[in-house]
Amino acid sequence: MEPQWRQGGRGRGRARPGDELAARSGTAARPPAARGRGGARAAAAGTIGGGAGGEYRVLPSARAAGPRDGELAYFLSIELSSQKKFDEIKKANQAAAKKLVEDQLSSSSEDDDEDAEVKQGKILDKTFTIYTSQTDGDASELERTRQYMNEAFQSGAMTCLICIASVKRNQAVWSCCGCFCIFHLVCIQKWAKDSLFLVSSPLTDDDFGKKDYPWPCPKCRFEYKRSETPSRYYCYCGKVENPTVDPWLVPHSCGQICEREFKPSCGHKCLLLCHPGPCPPCPKMVTTTCHCKKAKPVPRRCSAKEWSCRLPCGRTLLCGQHACENPCHAGDCQPCPRVSKQRCICGRQTAERLCASPQWQCDQVCGKCLPCGNHTCEQVCHAGPCGDCPRSGKRSCPCGKTKFTLPCTVDVPTCGDSCDKVLECGIHKCSQRCHRGPCEICRQEVEKQCRCGKHTKRMPCHKPYLCETKCTKIRDCQKHQCRRKCCSGNCPPCDQVCGRTLGCRNHKCPSGCHRGSCNPCPETVGVKCNCGKTVIKVPCGRERTIKPPKCKQLCSRPPTCHHSTQEKHYCHFGRCPPCRQPCQKTLTCGHLCPVSCHDEALVKQTGLHQSAGPWEQPSEPAFIQTALPCPPCQVPIPVECLGQHEVSPLPCHSANPYSCKRFCGRLLDCQNHTCMKECHHVTKSSSSADGNKAGPECSQCEEECTKPRPDGCPHRCALPCHPGDCPSCLQMVKIKCHCKLSVLYIECLKLTHADLKEKELLISCRNQCPKELPCGHRCKEICHSGNCPLNCSQKVKLRCLCKRLKKEVQCSKIQEGQASLECDALCKEMKRKAYEIKEAEAKAALEEEKRRQQAELEAFENRLKGRRKNKRRKDEVEVEQSSWQKYKNFIMLPVFGVAVVMV
C-alpha cells in the first residue's frame, strides 16, 4: 500500500520519494506547488502539480496563510487521509479474515457436537421412515445409503474430486449415476467441456464436429453423451431445480419421496426421501415361486424374490439322457457331470468323456478312398461323405489365366504367359512367366518421396524411404515437439509423462503428457486420531483440512497432577482436559480436600501488556497455568452457640463459638422476665446449679411489676418488678351505685375480697330505686342491681270500653289480666243513638251528591243548545243549600264528642 502522496495522477505534480522523506522530517522539501512557475500557478488555482492528473488540493487556510503554514496544512491533510485509508484497509482485512474463518468452518455438515448428532439422527430417521414401515423396522439393507448420507453430513467427507474442495450445503452440485460421486456443478461442466475438446480435437481426429463424442465421469469413467452435460442444479431425485437449503433435510435434497426406478428394474419405485447414493433394495412384498416352479408361491421381498426350494432340479440336461441333480437353481442347468464311453465323429476311436460333450474329433486322418479311386481323403476325423477329389474338374494354371481339363493324376502345367500378379508394393506387376510359388519382391527403381514429403530419391520400389529430418510440430499435449524422423504429419500422442503436481499437492500426474486439467489424484490418505487407532480414508489432499475422526479409545496419557490416574476420557488432540477428580490432599485440620483438582488451574493475568498506541487492537487476556492452594476446609463441625441455645454445623475453618442472634432468654433475678440481650457468653457460678439462671453478663430488670392483680383491682403494684406475691391494695375506689345516681368511695381491698352479697350491699346507696317499671310507675325497692321486680302495688283507675264507668284496682292485677270493667245498659243505649245519627248523615250526604250531579247535567245540556259555535253561553245555576248542609257541622261536633267520651 503506497502512501497517499505516491498515488494519484501521472502528471507533473506527482510526488517523489524525496517529498515523502521531507514530509516525515519537516525540512528541506517543498510541495510541488512551490517548485517553479507552473507549480505556483497550480497552487493559485487550488491544485498541486498542475495538469488534469494532479489530485492534491491546497486547503483554503493554506492559500491565505504564508508558505510555512501552507506546507503544514498540506502535510496534515495527507496524514489524515492516510490514516483514513489505513482504517478502511484494516476493516477490509478483518472482514476477509472473518469470512475465511467462516468458510473454513462451514461444510456440508454441522459441527460434530452432541446437538448436531441428535439432529442428524432425526433427519436420517425421517428419511428412512417410509422404507422401514414396509420392512417392519428392518434397516439392514440401508447401510450403503446410510453411509452416503453420513458423508453428506460429516464435515469435509463430501469432496469434489476435480477441485479437491469441500462440497457445501449452499453450492450447486451434480451426482454421477454410476458411482454416485458428487461434484461441483461448475467443476463438472468444465470437466465435460475439456474432455470433449480433447477427444474431438483436430490434432487427434479428422471428424471434428461430425461425431458425438462422449465424456467420462472423473471417478468411475462412466461415459455420458454431449447432450447429457449438466446445465442446471437439481436435487438427487431430479424433481426440484435449485432446491432450497433446509437445515432439517439432507444437504442438496428436496425432501420429497425419491420415486426413482430400482436397479434392476422390478416395477416399483424408491420409497426413501430424496437422498444421495444408490437406492436400497426394493422392500415391497410379492408372491413368487422358486426357480424350478415346484414349490408353492410364497410372499417374499421384491429384492429377494428369486429363491430356491433346495429340492433337486430334475430338468433334462443337454445330453438328453440324464436329469439335473443340483438343488433348485436359477438360469440354465450346468453341463452333465457324468462320464460315458463315446465314439469320435468318424467312429474309429472310443474314449471315456463327459456326457456334456458327446461330439469330439480324434487326431487321425480320414484316409478313405475318394470317388476318383486315385487319392484318399486327407481331412481329419469328420462326419458325412468325404466329397469329390479336389483335383478333378477344370483347374487353372498358377497365374490363373488358362484353365485345363486333366485327369486328377496329372499336375496342371504353366501356361507360358507373363504372371501379371500385383506385387507387394501394390503398384507394379510380376514380369516373370507363369510360375509356381510366390512372386519375387519388386526391384524396379522409382522416384520415391519420403514420408514427411520434404525429400525425393530414386531407389528400389520395395525399400521404404525415410529422411533424417525431425518433425517440429507440437504434439497433442501442446507442449512438446514431435521430434520423430520423417513424420507424416499425423504425430502420435506425446509419450512423455505429464509430471504436473495434482490438486492434492502431494503427487504428480502419472499419465502421459496431455492438455487440460489432470485427472483427480486416485490416492487416498488415512487421517488418524491422536493415538492412531482410528483411521478414516479421505481423498489425497484433504488430510490438511478435514477434521480428525472421533476416537472411541480412552486417552492413555499419564496424569499431570498429583493423582495416580486421570479421569477416563476419549482420545483427543492437544492438552488433556482439567482433572476433575477430588483433590484429597490432607489439610491442616486433618480432613481431606473435597474440591476438584486444582494443580493446573488457569489464572488470568491482566495489565502485563501495554498498548503502543490507540491504533493497536486490545490483546486477549493471558492465562497462566499454576497450582492453587486448597480452599478452607468446609467439613461441617457441630458447634454450640455462646448462649447454649443451639448446636449448628459450621465449616471446619470457622468452627468457633458464635452468637446465634437470638435473645439470651435466661431468667433474671425478678423471676418474671428473661434477658433480652443478643446471645452472649454467661459465666456460670459454682453455687448456681441451674444452667438457665442469669449471670453477671445478663441485663438487669428495670420493668414495673406486671403480675396479674386480683379480680376487680384496677391499680398497679407500687413495687418494681419483684419475686413473690404483690402486697394488698389499700387505695380507695370511686364507683357509682347500682342506680347510677350516687358516687361511693370504697377500699379496693374490701371490694376485691367481698363475695356477691357483700358487694351488693357495698355498692348500694340505700335510696329508693329511680328506675321506671314497664307499667310506667317507679320501682319501690331500695337501690339494687339487676332488673326491678314486676309486681307493681300502685293503685290505678280502670274504665269500661265507652269510658263512662270507672274504679280503682292494683296495677299488678291489671298487668296480669285479673281485673276488668264491663259496660252497662245505659252505655249500650248511647252507642245505638250515635250509630243512628251517623247513618242519617251518610244518607243526607248521598242525596246532596245526587242533586249536585243533576244540576251539572242540566247546565251542560243548556250549553249545547246554542245556535252559534263561537258564542257560548255561560249558564250559572245557583243551587241553594239546604238547612242540613248549613248547620250540620254545628250539630255533629257535640254528638261525636259525647260518643268519644262514652267510649
Side-chain angles (χ1 to χ4, degrees), residues 246-257:
D246 191 342
W248 289 100
L249 291 177
V250 179
H252 316 292
S253 170
C254 64
Q256 303 180 21
I257 298 178

PDB file of all heavy atoms in Angstrom, residues 246-257:
ATOM      1  N   ASP A 246     -32.318 -26.382   3.515  1.00  0.00           N
ATOM      2  CA  ASP A 246     -33.147 -26.627   4.691  1.00  0.00           C
ATOM      3  C   ASP A 246     -32.297 -27.367   5.720  1.00  0.00           C
ATOM      4  O   ASP A 246     -31.805 -28.471   5.451  1.00  0.00           O
ATOM      5  CB  ASP A 246     -34.367 -27.476   4.323  1.00  0.00           C
ATOM      6  CG  ASP A 246     -35.394 -27.535   5.443  1.00  0.00           C
ATOM      7  OD1 ASP A 246     -35.025 -27.221   6.591  1.00  0.00           O
ATOM      8  OD2 ASP A 246     -36.557 -27.880   5.175  1.00  0.00           O
ATOM      9  N   PRO A 247     -32.100 -26.783   6.919  1.00  0.00           N
ATOM     10  CA  PRO A 247     -31.240 -27.472   7.901  1.00  0.00           C
ATOM     11  C   PRO A 247     -31.829 -28.759   8.411  1.00  0.00           C
ATOM     12  O   PRO A 247     -31.121 -29.549   9.027  1.00  0.00           O
ATOM     13  CB  PRO A 247     -31.103 -26.423   9.021  1.00  0.00           C
ATOM     14  CG  PRO A 247     -32.294 -25.545   8.869  1.00  0.00           C
ATOM     15  CD  PRO A 247     -32.604 -25.497   7.407  1.00  0.00           C
ATOM     16  N   TRP A 248     -33.131 -29.019   8.187  1.00  0.00           N
ATOM     17  CA  TRP A 248     -33.768 -30.245   8.672  1.00  0.00           C
ATOM     18  C   TRP A 248     -33.923 -31.277   7.561  1.00  0.00           C
ATOM     19  O   TRP A 248     -34.710 -32.201   7.679  1.00  0.00           O
ATOM     20  CB  TRP A 248     -35.125 -29.932   9.290  1.00  0.00           C
ATOM     21  CG  TRP A 248     -34.987 -29.224  10.591  1.00  0.00           C
ATOM     22  CD1 TRP A 248     -35.109 -27.906  10.844  1.00  0.00           C
ATOM     23  CD2 TRP A 248     -34.653 -29.821  11.851  1.00  0.00           C
ATOM     24  NE1 TRP A 248     -34.881 -27.620  12.155  1.00  0.00           N
ATOM     25  CE2 TRP A 248     -34.600 -28.777  12.807  1.00  0.00           C
ATOM     26  CE3 TRP A 248     -34.384 -31.119  12.264  1.00  0.00           C
ATOM     27  CZ2 TRP A 248     -34.301 -29.005  14.140  1.00  0.00           C
ATOM     28  CZ3 TRP A 248     -34.089 -31.349  13.588  1.00  0.00           C
ATOM     29  CH2 TRP A 248     -34.052 -30.291  14.511  1.00  0.00           C
ATOM     30  N   LEU A 249     -33.173 -31.118   6.453  1.00  0.00           N
ATOM     31  CA  LEU A 249     -33.157 -32.090   5.375  1.00  0.00           C
ATOM     32  C   LEU A 249     -31.710 -32.448   5.064  1.00  0.00           C
ATOM     33  O   LEU A 249     -30.765 -31.744   5.450  1.00  0.00           O
ATOM     34  CB  LEU A 249     -33.838 -31.524   4.118  1.00  0.00           C
ATOM     35  CG  LEU A 249     -35.354 -31.300   4.171  1.00  0.00           C
ATOM     36  CD1 LEU A 249     -35.829 -30.680   2.878  1.00  0.00           C
ATOM     37  CD2 LEU A 249     -36.106 -32.593   4.439  1.00  0.00           C
ATOM     38  N   VAL A 250     -31.551 -33.539   4.341  1.00  0.00           N
ATOM     39  CA  VAL A 250     -30.224 -33.919   3.868  1.00  0.00           C
ATOM     40  C   VAL A 250     -29.736 -32.822   2.913  1.00  0.00           C
ATOM     41  O   VAL A 250     -30.521 -32.294   2.122  1.00  0.00           O
ATOM     42  CB  VAL A 250     -30.289 -35.284   3.151  1.00  0.00           C
ATOM     43  CG1 VAL A 250     -28.922 -35.689   2.637  1.00  0.00           C
ATOM     44  CG2 VAL A 250     -30.820 -36.348   4.098  1.00  0.00           C
ATOM     45  N   PRO A 251     -28.457 -32.420   2.983  1.00  0.00           N
ATOM     46  CA  PRO A 251     -27.967 -31.380   2.062  1.00  0.00           C
ATOM     47  C   PRO A 251     -28.230 -31.733   0.610  1.00  0.00           C
ATOM     48  O   PRO A 251     -28.061 -32.881   0.191  1.00  0.00           O
ATOM     49  CB  PRO A 251     -26.463 -31.336   2.374  1.00  0.00           C
ATOM     50  CG  PRO A 251     -26.364 -31.792   3.781  1.00  0.00           C
ATOM     51  CD  PRO A 251     -27.435 -32.821   3.974  1.00  0.00           C
ATOM     52  N   HIS A 252     -28.700 -30.760  -0.160  1.00  0.00           N
ATOM     53  CA  HIS A 252     -28.997 -30.861  -1.592  1.00  0.00           C
ATOM     54  C   HIS A 252     -30.210 -31.767  -1.847  1.00  0.00           C
ATOM     55  O   HIS A 252     -30.367 -32.280  -2.960  1.00  0.00           O
ATOM     56  CB  HIS A 252     -27.792 -31.365  -2.384  1.00  0.00           C
ATOM     57  CG  HIS A 252     -26.504 -30.732  -2.007  1.00  0.00           C
ATOM     58  ND1 HIS A 252     -26.232 -29.402  -2.256  1.00  0.00           N
ATOM     59  CD2 HIS A 252     -25.410 -31.214  -1.340  1.00  0.00           C
ATOM     60  CE1 HIS A 252     -25.031 -29.111  -1.800  1.00  0.00           C
ATOM     61  NE2 HIS A 252     -24.509 -30.177  -1.221  1.00  0.00           N
ATOM     62  N   SER A 253     -31.051 -31.982  -0.860  1.00  0.00           N
ATOM     63  CA  SER A 253     -32.248 -32.814  -1.013  1.00  0.00           C
ATOM     64  C   SER A 253     -33.477 -31.908  -1.041  1.00  0.00           C
ATOM     65  O   SER A 253     -33.502 -30.841  -0.423  1.00  0.00           O
ATOM     66  CB  SER A 253     -32.361 -33.818   0.136  1.00  0.00           C
ATOM     67  OG  SER A 253     -33.620 -34.461   0.125  1.00  0.00           O
ATOM     68  N   CYS A 254     -34.529 -32.367  -1.792  1.00  0.00           N
ATOM     69  CA  CYS A 254     -35.771 -31.599  -1.869  1.00  0.00           C
ATOM     70  C   CYS A 254     -36.755 -32.001  -0.788  1.00  0.00           C
ATOM     71  O   CYS A 254     -37.743 -31.310  -0.571  1.00  0.00           O
ATOM     72  CB  CYS A 254     -36.409 -31.767  -3.243  1.00  0.00           C
ATOM     73  SG  CYS A 254     -36.935 -33.476  -3.607  1.00  0.00           S
ATOM     74  N   GLY A 255     -36.516 -33.124  -0.110  1.00  0.00           N
ATOM     75  CA  GLY A 255     -37.403 -33.557   0.956  1.00  0.00           C
ATOM     76  C   GLY A 255     -38.596 -34.356   0.481  1.00  0.00           C
ATOM     77  O   GLY A 255     -39.387 -34.830   1.303  1.00  0.00           O
ATOM     78  N   GLN A 256     -38.772 -34.550  -0.847  1.00  0.00           N
ATOM     79  CA  GLN A 256     -39.872 -35.354  -1.370  1.00  0.00           C
ATOM     80  C   GLN A 256     -39.448 -36.819  -1.488  1.00  0.00           C
ATOM     81  O   GLN A 256     -38.271 -37.156  -1.350  1.00  0.00           O
ATOM     82  CB  GLN A 256     -40.318 -34.818  -2.724  1.00  0.00           C
ATOM     83  CG  GLN A 256     -40.740 -33.349  -2.713  1.00  0.00           C
ATOM     84  CD  GLN A 256     -41.179 -32.883  -4.083  1.00  0.00           C
ATOM     85  OE1 GLN A 256     -41.543 -33.680  -4.945  1.00  0.00           O
ATOM     86  NE2 GLN A 256     -41.132 -31.577  -4.300  1.00  0.00           N
ATOM     87  N   ILE A 257     -40.441 -37.676  -1.759  1.00  0.00           N
ATOM     88  CA  ILE A 257     -40.141 -39.103  -1.937  1.00  0.00           C
ATOM     89  C   ILE A 257     -39.334 -39.277  -3.224  1.00  0.00           C
ATOM     90  O   ILE A 257     -39.626 -38.659  -4.255  1.00  0.00           O
ATOM     91  CB  ILE A 257     -41.429 -39.923  -1.965  1.00  0.00           C
ATOM     92  CG1 ILE A 257     -42.173 -39.783  -0.622  1.00  0.00           C
ATOM     93  CG2 ILE A 257     -41.137 -41.387  -2.236  1.00  0.00           C
ATOM     94  CD1 ILE A 257     -43.482 -40.520  -0.577  1.00  0.00           C
TER      95      ILE A 257
END
